Amino acid sequence: MKIFLTWLALSIWLLVLAGSLINVSARSQDAALKLYKLVEKPPFSELSPAFVDAVSIGHKGVIDDMLLFYTLNYLMDSRLRGADPAEVQMALKATTRLHPKIETIYMFGCLVLALEMKHPEACEPLITDGINLFPDGWRLPVTLGTILFHTMKDDAKAAIFYEIAAQKPDAPAFAKSLAIKLRNRAKPDPVELEALIQTLGTSFGEDMVRKFYSTGGDQK
């Protein structure tokens, strides 16, 4: 009988202890979730791009892969829809300032901002950063051209990015045809054209924009 009572008391004590541990664990998990922030600055974001290049000792690709993994981790999280778009933009900008040579970061970042978070205007600076890193790539200007065309209804600017894409090696034929079609449909007046030249000229050259919209261009 004494052994039975001892075993019963021990069993009750263990159950109470287990219940207490479960309760503490649940509270700790809740606290951790409250402290966890989905979108934060990426690794190395406080360092200069030149320093990151130097310390990588010819293996910058490893850091770029890390930045890709970090970026996709929050861009693909189902809770992102509740995040502040400004924080997502800041995190992406902190990433792209390190010049990762992975097109997916720029392309997917733009698509998530435009389509999931309904902030297509945030695409242009992000994609522009990428275009300057991939001088022979057509995917990034096509991505931005498509967002400008379909989502923002800005035919005049979309035409320029389709034209930029069309000048790249192995660009799809539709890039050139869309560039001409949208340019001819937009027909910006001189004031609108000058504003477009001032906006895009710094990144892509005023002469290119002006020449594309000149009357001597292709007419299809």
Side-chain angles (χ1 to χ4, degrees):
M1 185 65 176
K2 185 177 180 181
I3 295 176
F4 173 76
L5 291 175
T6 302
W7 178 85
L8 181 60
L10 181 60
S11 299
I12 293 173
W13 182 82
L14 288 174
L15 287 173
V16 171
L17 179 60
S20 299
L21 288 174
I22 291 172
N23 186 45
V24 170
S25 177
R27 290 184 179 182
S28 299
Q29 186 175 11
D30 289 341
L33 288 173
K34 288 179 181 178
L35 291 173
Y36 174 74
K37 190 175 182 181
L38 178 62
V39 182
E40 293 185 313
K41 287 184 178 181
F44 313 108
S45 61
E46 302 298 331
L47 304 175
S48 72
F51 181 77
V52 172
D53 287 343
V55 298
S56 62
I57 318 176
H59 296 281
K60 175 66 164 35
V62 175
I63 294 177
D64 291 352
D65 288 340
M66 185 183 301
L67 292 170
L68 172 64
F69 177 80
Y70 179 87
T71 303
L72 293 180
N73 185 56
Y74 66 80
L75 289 182
M76 298 180 70
D77 195 298
S78 59
R79 292 167 294 171
L80 189 68
R81 291 186 179 183
D84 183 351
E87 290 186 351
V88 177
Q89 285 179 249
M90 288 178 61
L92 285 168
K93 187 63 179 177
T95 299
T96 60
R97 68 176 286 275
L98 296 174
H99 309 146
K101 290 193 174 181
I102 299 179
E103 282 184 307
T104 302
I105 293 176
Y106 307 86
M107 192 181 307
F108 195 51
C110 166
L111 293 175
V112 169
L113 284 169
L115 305 180
E116 291 292 322
M117 308 198 78
K118 310 302 180 186
H119 280 269
E121 75 284 351
C123 274
E124 188 173 329
L126 182 63
I127 293 291
T128 298
D129 286 346
I131 289 174
N132 292 329
L133 277 178
F134 300 95
D136 293 329
W138 57 266
R139 294 176 181 82
L140 293 179
V142 160
T143 298
L144 182 54
T146 302
I147 294 298
L148 289 165
F149 171 36
H150 287 286
T151 307
M152 301 185 71
K153 312 301 180 186
D154 190 340
D155 291 355
K157 189 179 283 188
I160 290 293
F161 284 97
Y162 279 123
E163 173 65 13
I164 291 171
Q167 303 304 317
K168 308 299 183 181
D170 303 316
F174 72 78
K176 185 65 176 180
S177 60
L178 269 176
I180 296 170
K181 176 182 177 180
L182 294 178
R183 179 196 62 194
N184 294 342
R185 188 167 74 184
K187 295 180 179 178
D189 62 36
V191 175
E192 292 171 332
L193 179 57
E194 194 59 34
L196 192 62
I197 290 170
Q198 293 301 317
T199 301
L200 299 178
T202 302
S203 298
F204 306 107
E206 292 186 8
D207 290 343
M208 187 279 289
V209 181
R210 199 181 300 277
K211 181 179 178 181
F212 176 66
Y213 269 105
S214 69
T215 56
D218 298 321
Q219 300 292 326
K220 291 186 181 180

